[in-house]
Amino acid sequence: MVEIRKPILVSRAVELVMQNAKLLATETVTLDAAYGRILAEPIIAKHDVPPFNRSPYDGFAVRAEDTVGASGENRTPFKVVEEIGAGHVATKQIEQGEAYRIMTGAELPAQADAVVMLEQTVEGEGTFTLRKPFVEGENISFQGEDAKEGEALIHKGALIHPGTIALLATFGYANVEVAKQPVVGLLSTGTELLNVDEALVPGKIRNSNGPMIIAQLERMGIGHQSYGMLVDDLDACTKTVERAIAETDMLITTGGVSVGDYDYLPAIYERLGAKVLFNKVAMRPGSVTTVAVLGDKLLFGLSGNPSACFTGFELFTRPAILRMMGAENPYMPYMKATLGEDFTKPNPFTRFVRAVWEMGEAGPVAAPAGFNKSSAVSSIARGNCIIVLPSGTRGFTKGMEVNILLLGAEQGVSKWAL
Ligand code: AMP
Ligand code: MG
């Protein structure tokens, strides 16, 4: 008899996965290895930024009081006593009517209190004139205006992106404390599967899920440990799954989670004593997506159907991996878009449609990326987003507003509204 499974809402399934994502330890990496990692310590300003008052322009550093009365008819002359390039400091003092030639980024000498841009002067031989007065503090980048020493600037749990790298470098973080990355085991099941370099033979197909998931992991900067492809044999699969769980922090399997005669993952979970968090989700594609926990390890049983497999990874596995690393924004970003085509078939389950979004005249427009069954592989290749069509009895028509999940974004958001 076919087992009856009770579907749970996608939001509940995500919640269950996230609750069971165990926080990994931290490690220290050098700054040049920190890009893409998750910060395990906050970034606190170790000094003021900028660390000294400096010139934001190429020009002349003057005493504002000496510019009083300058006008077009009465240009005020200055004598240049010293030139200060970026990285140098002044060695001379200035008196009334004297100035420093100063370059962008150079420290403002103590006696000067305003900077005149080159364009605001008429230059002579070691001299220049001005046609307007300057006020104290004009054209100065003040010490600490960007960040004050001791200020908490970036949270622990933030993704280290190029901007974060710049901040870390500013404060001299040659080493950074980051979350360890999980060792992710990957195993594809199915007697029908061939390797990429094998010729098609009757009844067989090439394994596309394995390489796809490796790339989905790589897009997150995460490596994998491969357990290859397994034929549908309960004993052999159980052994490999058991070994994989022992050697990794989490395991992704593809295929074998349905209710067919050779879908052995449910039996394997049972044999190993894993607790099944859910084995049916109210979503299309991927309703058979199954997630189990053994000890503190998550076991992702993704559907063998390529579109379902892809979607299952993005909806459940990806945020779980990020949560394991303590990421504060583990969810892929989403935005509103106008539906570019009718999608009239009502669906009792939330539908995730591989789609292409483009900028339309009135804002983003998203249209399905072609053949859209759960078995589809061509639409995954074309898609740059996933349209979310909430469950219900009505269909959706062109022009309606929908949420789209943005694939491949570097930075995520802290919550989803699925
Ligand atoms: P399953 O989830 O094992 O019932 O598989 C569902 C469908 O996905 C079947 O048509 C399988 O042949 C296909 N499939 C399973 N695994 C893969 C894979 N790794 N790559 C491509 N297609 C697959
Ligand atoms: Mg199978």
Side-chain angles (χ1 to χ4, degrees), residues 27-50:
E27 64 183 343
T28 307
V29 297
T30 56
L31 183 64
D32 58 10
Y35 170 63
R37 304 295 296 267
I38 302 295
L39 266 179
E41 58 177 331
I43 305 180
I44 313 281
K46 292 188 179 173
H47 52 70
D48 288 346
V49 184

Side-chain angles (χ1 to χ4, degrees), residues 25 44 61 72 89 122 133 155 167 175 223 289 326 379 398 400:
I44 313 281
V89 290
V122 175
H155 298 150
L167 196 62
N175 295 294
T289 307
S379 56
K398 183 176 170 173
M400 288 175 94

